Amino acid sequence: MVEPQAGIFVEGSASHFFLEYQLIEGLSDAQLRATLASAIALPLSADVNNVWAFGADCWQRLTPDAVPHGLKSFTAIGEGHLVAPATQQSILVWLHGDNHSANFDAAMELSAALAAVATLNLEKIGFVYKDFRDLSGFIDGTENPKGRGQQVVALIPEGEAGAGGSYVMSQQWVHNLASFHALSQREQEDVIGRTKPDSIELDDARMPENSHVSRSDVKINGEAQKLYRRSVPYGGVLEHGLYFLAFSCDMQRFDHILASMFGVSGDGVHDHLTDFSTPVSGSYWFAPSAAELSVLASL
Ligand code: HEM
C-alpha cells in the first residue's frame, strides 16, 4: 500500500489555512524544483498537518513521466447566470490543526519559502463552526465515507499512475446568509435535503429534486460518485462561506456532481443551494502520495 499524505485523513482540526499559489512566469525548472524542495522540506511544528497538491500544468512540469491519467485543470461549468468559475492555480497548501498560532507561523514560513517562485493568490482561514456545521447551520459531512472507506474513495488505486495520491477539488463559496435565513426551517431543509437539527435525510416523498442532496448524490452507470469531503467554513462578518475541498480516486466524479448541481447534466435542474451561495473560485489538483512528495523534497 502506497502511503498517502497523512494530513488528508486527520479530522476535527479547529483551525485551517488554505493557500493557493500561482507560479511566477519565466522560471527555470531548476529554480522551481530547488525552491519547492526547500519549502516542502521545511521543519514545521508537529501541531501542523500539511497537505500539498499541484495543478495539472505544475505537476506535468515537475514529473512529466508520472502524470495521473485523469489530471486536468478546472474549467468553468454551467451556463447563463449559473456558472462555477475556473480560477486554476498551481500549488495548494492546506495547513490544519488545533493550534491556530502554529498554523499561522507555518503559513508565513511556507509563503516566504515559496515567494521566489509563486504568488499567493487565494488565502482562506477556516474554522469549525459549532458541531461541524456549515454557516447555514446544517451539519456538513454526514454522508462522508468512514474508516477504510475513506481511503477507498479518496485514493488513486495501486497500479495506476499516481497511486496513493488523490484527485482534489477546491472551490470558495460565498454565502448569502440573510437570504437563506429568511427561509423557514422547513424551506431551508428542502434546500439541503436533510433536517437541520440532526441531519436526517428527507424521505422520498418530501425530498425535492433540486435539493443539494438530490443534486450531489449522483450515480453514473449504477456507480455512486462518492467523495471524501474536507470542507470547512471561513470568513467573518463582511464575507463568509464554505471553502469546499474534496478528495477522490477519480477526477470525473467532480465533473459529474458539478454538472448535476449547475443544471447541465441533462434534466435542466440546478441545485437550489446555488441560489443562496456563489462559487468564486475553482481548481482541480493532484495531491501526490507521501513518497512522491518526499521525492520532490529531495530534488
Ligand atoms: C455552498 C457550498 C456547499 C455547502 C454549504 C454544502 C453542504 C452540504 C451539506 C449540508 C450536505 C449534507 C450533509 C452531508 O452529507 O455532508 C452536503 C452533502 C454533500 N455534498 Fe455538499 N455542500 C456544498 C457544495 C458541494 C459541492 C461543490 C459538492 C461537489 C462538487 C458537494 C458534494 C456533496 C456530496 C457528494 C454530498 C453527499 C450527498 C449524499 O450522498 O447524500 N457539495 N453538502
Side-chain angles (χ1 to χ4, degrees):
M1 160 84 202
V2 186
E3 286 302 317
Q5 294 184 57
I8 296 171
F9 299 98
V10 176
E11 294 191 346
S13 298
S15 159
H16 299 250
F17 279 66
F18 302 100
L19 307 167
E20 297 187 12
Y21 301 88
Q22 182 70 45
L23 291 186
I24 291 166
E25 305 262 322
L27 296 171
S28 71
D29 284 355
Q31 193 184 3
L32 171 60
R33 284 168 184 284
T35 306
L36 203 52
S38 53
I40 295 170
L42 271 178
L44 302 179
S45 155
D47 287 347
V48 179
N49 299 289
N50 64 96
V51 176
W52 288 78
F54 302 88
D57 291 352
C58 184
W59 187 253
Q60 167 80 39
R61 198 168 155 185
L62 291 167
T63 63
D65 299 331
V67 180
H69 71 270
L71 186 59
K72 59 181 181 177
S73 296
F74 192 92
T75 49
I77 186 157
E79 52 196 17
H81 294 305
L82 185 59
V83 174
T87 59
Q88 182 69 52
Q89 306 288 307
S90 314
I91 302 171
L92 169 69
V93 180
W94 170 31
L95 305 170
H96 64 105
D98 292 334
N99 185 340
H100 191 68
S101 307
N103 286 343
F104 176 80
D105 289 345
M108 292 296 283
E109 274 179 62
L110 282 175
S111 298
L114 287 172
V117 299
T119 309
L120 181 59
N121 277 347
L122 189 150
E123 172 190 41
K124 288 291 151 247
I125 315 297
F127 58 94
V128 171
Y129 178 62
K130 299 182 177 169
D131 48 344
F132 301 98
R133 287 172 191 263
D134 169 64
L135 299 176
S136 59
F138 283 80
I139 294 172
D140 193 10
T142 313
E143 273 301 319
N144 246 354
K146 313 277 184 299
R148 276 283 307 149
Q150 294 176 342
Q151 299 214 348
V152 173
V153 164
L155 300 180
I156 297 170
E158 301 280 324
E160 283 186 28
S166 197
Y167 297 108
V168 188
M169 172 185 152
S170 66
Q171 231 180 8
Q172 180 197 347
W173 288 74
V174 179
H175 287 1
N176 183 342
L177 285 183
S179 68
F180 190 73
H181 288 145
L183 303 176
S184 67
Q185 179 169 316
R186 192 179 167 87
E187 289 167 333
Q188 292 177 19
E189 291 175 336
D190 287 344
V191 172
I192 299 295
R194 287 186 171 267
T195 57
K196 193 166 185 181
D198 42 12
S199 198
I200 310 276
E201 190 169 314
L202 304 185
D203 58 32
D204 290 352
R206 183 177 162 197
M207 180 73 86
E209 63 171 352
N210 66 349
S211 75
H212 181 52
V213 166
S214 298
R215 302 316 296 173
S216 62
D217 185 7
V218 173
K219 278 202 181 63
I220 301 290
N221 300 325
E223 194 188 347
Q225 304 294 290
K226 293 287 176 198
L227 306 176
Y228 178 48
R229 288 168 290 134
R230 300 305 319 274
S231 319
V232 285
Y234 72 86
V237 176
L238 289 175
E239 185 186 82
H240 41 250
L242 187 77
Y243 188 87
F244 178 86
L245 183 69
F247 294 80
S248 175
C249 56
D250 173 4
M251 187 67 109
Q252 287 187 337
R253 294 186 182 186
F254 301 128
D255 293 335
H256 290 312
I257 298 174
L258 285 169
S260 166
M261 289 178 68
F262 286 81
V264 289
S265 60
D267 59 8
V269 180
H270 73 265
D271 191 324
H272 201 12
L273 187 55
T274 60
D275 297 319
F276 303 94
S277 189
T278 306
V280 296
S281 80
S283 286
Y284 282 157
W285 313 92
F286 171 59
S289 67
E292 273 193 290
L293 188 67
S294 56
V295 170
L296 286 187
S298 60
L299 288 177

